[in-house]
Amino acid sequence: MKGLFSALLVPFDENGQIIEQGLRDVVRFNIDVQQIDGLYVNGSSGENFLLSTEQKKQIFQIVSDENKGKVKLIAQVGSLNLNEAIELGKYATELGYDSLSAVTPFYYKFTFQEIKAYYETIIRETGNDMIIYAIPALTGVSMSMAQFDELFQNEKIIGVKYTDGNFFLLERLRKQYPNKLIYSGFDEMLIYGAISGVDGAIGSTYNVNGKQAKQIWDLCQTGKVAEAYEVQHKTNDLIEKILELGLYQTLKEILNVKGIQAGTVKQPMSSLDPAKKDAVKHLVEKYEL
Ligand code: HMN
């Protein structure tokens, strides 16, 4: 369960329907070309929170079928509807997903006890392992060390996907929990996670730039931090452009340029402005994606 995981992008057509062949091709591209170690399925990058339960299941099924046991699979099943989270968790577990993950419940100001009960319920009902998905910038849920301590007492909570820039807390977690899996979530901060001793990283840009991220990762593992930083600089030039042009729209357009039918994003996100297509093509050439 270590290494680089792509937060899988999902191709949608103009009507918001999943493009099955496109999704299969994105999976293959991640495995064969980007050489990632695993896939994080139905996360933010998969536009999960815009989908129906049936669509989420369809994605879990197609990805598992196309992967054929090649790389590790993590199923993000978190939902404000706990019944849905359980249903998805059971489904992904039956399909053989290596672990579940669930975003901290958001929108309402849940108490920590409610958040803890949410995780315990999913674990109890599915019997699978759980990776907490902590992304305070999007959920508004910032957990303290004491709260992680409480959650990590549960053996089935095997780790955290840590999408935050609080490296003090990350360091504290790493020291206290050498045996829990910690995944770094922000691709533009990969080097800081890697030198902090995380077990892996999960990110959207690895769908198109996994090879370069792997260089950063490998250089850090062998203590070549200055060299890793050079690659991170180059990577961040690219990520900066991607963010300017529109994150998921641009990542999908990069895949489209590479000949993969990556479709578009699902409404209410808006499709890439056609005037930006040339800029994306330029990125593919400049960064040799
Ligand atoms: C997911 O759940 O899809 C991702 O793992 C989340 C991941 O942390 C990404 N965050 C978001 O998209 C909000 C990052 O890879 C992010 O896209 C990247 O660092 C660019 O900012």
Side-chain angles (χ1 to χ4, degrees), residues 194-205:
I195 61 175
S196 303
V198 297
D199 299 286
I202 299 171
S204 63
T205 64

Side-chain angles (χ1 to χ4, degrees), residues 98-101 123 126-131 155-158:
D98 297 285
S99 178
L100 304 180
S101 179
I123 291 167
T126 63
N128 205 340
D129 291 335
M130 171 61 65
I131 295 166
E155 276 183 15
K156 299 294 276 182
I157 298 186
I158 60 169

Side-chain angles (χ1 to χ4, degrees), residues 60-264:
F60 283 139
Q61 193 276 326
I62 294 168
V63 173
S64 155
D65 183 62
E66 190 61 39
N67 179 51
K68 299 180 183 66
K70 195 94 191 282
V71 301
K72 295 286 181 192
L73 297 180
I74 301 174
Q76 198 295 121
V77 300
S79 169
L80 285 186
N81 176 351
L82 186 51
N83 296 323
E84 186 196 37
I86 293 166
E87 183 181 337
L88 292 171
K90 284 183 177 166
Y91 186 73
T93 302
E94 277 164 25
L95 287 172
Y97 275 68
D98 297 285
S99 178
L100 304 180
S101 179
V103 72
T104 52
F106 51 92
Y107 189 77
Y108 299 105
K109 298 290 174 203
F110 296 103
T111 65
F112 175 67
Q113 288 314 317
E114 288 168 333
I115 294 174
K116 190 178 166 199
Y118 159 94
Y119 283 113
E120 285 169 349
T121 306
I122 302 172
I123 291 167
R124 189 182 61 244
E125 295 292 326
T126 63
N128 205 340
D129 291 335
M130 171 61 65
I131 295 166
I132 293 163
Y133 179 8
I135 180 161
L138 292 187
T139 58
V141 180
S142 273
M143 281 191 296
S144 65
M145 186 65 192
Q147 291 173 336
F148 275 111
D149 280 335
E150 212 173 313
L151 291 172
F152 278 165
Q153 297 314 308
N154 186 330
E155 276 183 15
K156 299 294 276 182
I157 298 186
I158 60 169
V160 58
K161 169 165 140 44
Y162 186 87
T163 307
D164 196 7
N166 181 348
F167 290 98
F168 180 30
L169 179 57
L170 179 64
E171 180 276 334
R172 294 287 82 190
L173 286 167
R174 180 70 299 169
K175 175 162 187 283
Q176 190 66 22
Y177 298 102
N179 298 323
K180 297 284 185 189
L181 293 165
I182 303 180
Y183 299 97
S184 163
F186 276 127
D187 314 4
E188 51 277 46
M189 301 181 198
L190 174 61
I191 187 168
Y192 310 114
I195 61 175
S196 303
V198 297
D199 299 286
I202 299 171
S204 63
T205 64
Y206 307 148
N207 284 272
V208 301
N209 194 38
K211 279 184 292 185
Q212 202 165 209
K214 190 99 176 170
Q215 280 176 27
I216 298 171
W217 181 255
D218 290 343
L219 286 165
C220 287
Q221 304 309 311
T222 51
K224 295 181 181 154
V225 178
E227 283 172 59
Y229 208 56
E230 287 308 311
V231 187
Q232 185 78 66
H233 279 318
K234 200 173 151 208
T235 298
N236 286 0
D237 289 343
L238 169 66
I239 294 178
E240 198 172 52
K241 295 273 172 12
I242 291 174
L243 292 173
E244 262 169 41
L245 290 165
L247 178 60
Y248 304 129
Q249 292 86 343
T250 304
L251 292 174
K252 286 184 173 180
E253 183 59 18
I254 291 172
L255 290 170
N256 284 324
V257 171
K258 300 292 294 176
I260 293 164
Q261 205 193 345
T264 184

